[in-house]
Amino acid sequence: MSAPVADAPAAEIVYKIISSDGVVSKMSEKAVQQSKTLSNLIENLGYTIENIETRDPIPVTNVNGKTMAKVAELCEKHKADAIPEDNMNVLKTLTIPEWDQKFLKIEDEALFDLILASNFLDIKGLMYYGCKTVSNMAKGKTTAELREIFGINTDEQDAAEETAQKAAAEVA
Amino acid sequence: MWPRNDVHMDDGSMTPEDQEPVTDNDMEYNDNGEESSYSNGSSSSYNADKLSSSRPLQHKLDLSASPSRNNDLNPRVEHLIALFKDLSSAEQMDAFTRLLQESNMTNIRQLRAIIEPHFQRDFLSCLPVELGMKILHNLTGYDLLKVAQVSKNWKLISEIDKIWKSLGVEEFKHHPDPTDRVTGAWQGTAIAAGVTIPDHIQPCDLNVHRFLKLQKFGDIFERAADKSRYLRADKIEKNWNANPIMGSAVLRGHEDHVITCMQIHDDVLVTGSDDNTLKVWCIDKGEVMYTLVGHTGGVWTSQISQCGRYIVSGSTDRTVKVWSTVDGSLLHTLQGHTSTVRCMAMAGSILVTGSRDTTLRVWDVESGRHLATLHGHHAAVRCVQFDGTTVVSGGYDFTVKIWNAHTGRCIRTLTGHNNRVYSLLFESERSIVCSGSLDTSIRVWDFTRPEGQECVALLQGHTSLTSGMQLRGNILVSCNADSHVRVWDIHEGTCVHMLSGHRSAITSLQWFGRNMVATSSDDGTVKLWDIERGALIRDLVTLDSGGNGGCIWRLCSTSTMLACAVGSRNNTEETKVILLDFDAVYP
């Protein structure tokens, strides 16, 4: 009776990850396996169950704390899932689960950061869901609607702004 | 307590925005090998950073851009801004809230226009190209065309070949190469006394069109190759649906006789006639290549082999003849039938022929050998289908029979029709047979079901014999001597659409594209229908003599061309083939 109780906590490794802005996030061992980059980092830097408590958090300098917290949340949610196949055809048939749809209903800025993080950390599931979410924003829209949704000027507007800036610079 | 919170929030709100995007973008773009992409991305990335940066930075930029504006600065506004910068984040928020309450709607609307871009991201311009490709990978061709018009960056990324190559629907890749169709019979048009082609291009415009058509630029594309194919396919579909018809031709032959059968294989058109001959035409050159002479009776059925090397014909002289498409020579005469050869079907080089003598015979057209005779029908065999192993035949004895072509054994006899069976469809993969009969009904059979239970649907509504059918998935289109086209769901056994417009028997039907069906009729017209909406798209050909004997006996098409056999039973209309061109070049 006491043996299983004693073993259970010991078997669960929780990694501390320090982000570019110094914020520390936690991820379980299974969640970390969703990220190939993190898995390799842990292996290469020699983090083990024996020394995890005494060492500094794992450094991830390309992702900020806010984004890393969301990454950790998604990886914990999917820690038991198989990693999707690295294949473009996966994207065509992919359906975003309901939990993830809600999870990704965030501002463009945050979604952008998440997609970049999924690329750097090599988290296939998050990458596919993120890219598919942006696709769905663009599907079936007219050109004018696309500009409005993504906040893009027409080339004429950009050219006009450039001209105005040059004129202003000349005045200066 | 309060001062410590202030400091913390300031740090939290400033640091990530200032540092993280630039760093990430630099890292990601450095990974790409594409310089142009890097510079474009970098530029847009800077713009995005500007949008997301805090107000003081914007203010600073404005000042450096035009320091001369200092003279125009309102000292009261400057004072207010200086005070605002001294406030804590929470105090700034409080000030914002109260300022909004003091603002009129015009200013608030302007504020919205200023604020909204801060919440938006130009994903495609800012993300690495391989991620942008993943985003575009999910879009349809139509969506990609819209994406290309949004901005320069979006156009560049949407032109990547791999994205277009991976489009799900592949129909647009299957069109044959563009054709000229300006020589031979195409030099004239089919517009003549007695023939009306609504929507045909005017002669002067046609000459310009033909001139431009010959100014080709080879196969070099300035865009993704598959995008060119997609755009061409879209243009071809519009040519069928709405655009003026940009070319037509008349092939004259079989004078004063009936064209009984017509087939197309690639650029070869074969017409058979009761003048005992077949003619082999080159469609794109608009000329006849060979006249196949040898039958001593009218030709009633013909086929072109899948490989395109053989033409096979059946005749009232009881023989089957095998001809070469290479030089029009007669290769074999297959004897054995004791009455008119009425129908045939081919798979590979194996041919099955059905006859008024009540039998079917199986032949190898390469060697000319007779392989088997199928006995069992009690009256003329009127229609036959063959998949290489299984033969399906329908006859004037009201039955449909399933045979094993190798053993010659009748596997199954499907009974239920009350009159002659005139048309058949066989879909081997699903063991589905559709039969149309003079009893006015169409029956759908699954011959893998227990004997006596094979009929899975009885489609009723037509009032005469069904002359042609085509099946895709669960949708069956039928044309009938009652002048109507019907669209059925064979799974539900229901009629989805009835298409009215023809004034007498429909003679032929052809389904192409996603939802376009062309029909020819005894009333002297060819009509194009949308079977998804259940509506007429337009008339393609109209004979003035329609209603007075002029009729269109047969219709067939490729994806870019339509051929219809025209004539009459009382000499009111000259026998000929009218060709219409719906092709387009690569943009």
Side-chain angles (χ1 to χ4, degrees), chain B residues 308-326:
Chain B
R309 296 206 306 269
Y310 305 105
I311 297 166
V312 188
S313 57
S315 165
T316 59
D317 69 10
R318 304 168 188 179
T319 68
V320 178
K321 289 185 184 288
V322 183
W323 318 80
S324 164
T325 52
V326 175

Side-chain angles (χ1 to χ4, degrees), chain A residues 62 91-92 109 135 148, chain B residues 24 120-121 135 138 149 166:
Chain A
N62 301 94
L91 276 161
K92 289 214 179 281
E109 193 69 29
S135 281
E148 191 165 331
Chain B
D24 279 7
Q120 290 172 313
R121 262 289 178 170
I135 291 168
N138 284 293
Q149 295 174 60
S166 65

Side-chain angles (χ1 to χ4, degrees), chain B residues 201-271:
Chain B
I201 192 171
Q202 293 304 308
C204 52
D205 296 326
L206 179 56
N207 288 332
V208 173
H209 172 73
R210 282 176 173 166
F211 175 80
L212 293 175
K213 224 180 174 185
L214 293 174
Q215 314 306 308
K216 288 201 290 279
F217 296 92
D219 289 326
I220 298 169
F221 307 120
E222 288 184 5
R223 51 164 59 89
D226 277 359
K227 180 174 182 180
S228 289
R229 292 189 185 98
Y230 181 90
L231 289 171
R232 177 179 173 235
D234 187 59
K235 184 70 179 296
I236 288 169
E237 181 161 349
K238 286 188 169 70
N239 284 347
W240 281 101
N241 272 302
N243 290 346
I245 290 166
M246 303 296 271
S248 62
V250 176
L251 305 176
R252 290 192 159 80
H254 305 299
E255 287 81 9
D256 298 331
H257 285 86
V258 176
I259 292 174
T260 53
C261 45
M262 185 161 68
Q263 277 92 33
I264 294 179
H265 187 280
D266 294 341
D267 192 40
V268 173
L269 175 75
V270 176
T271 54

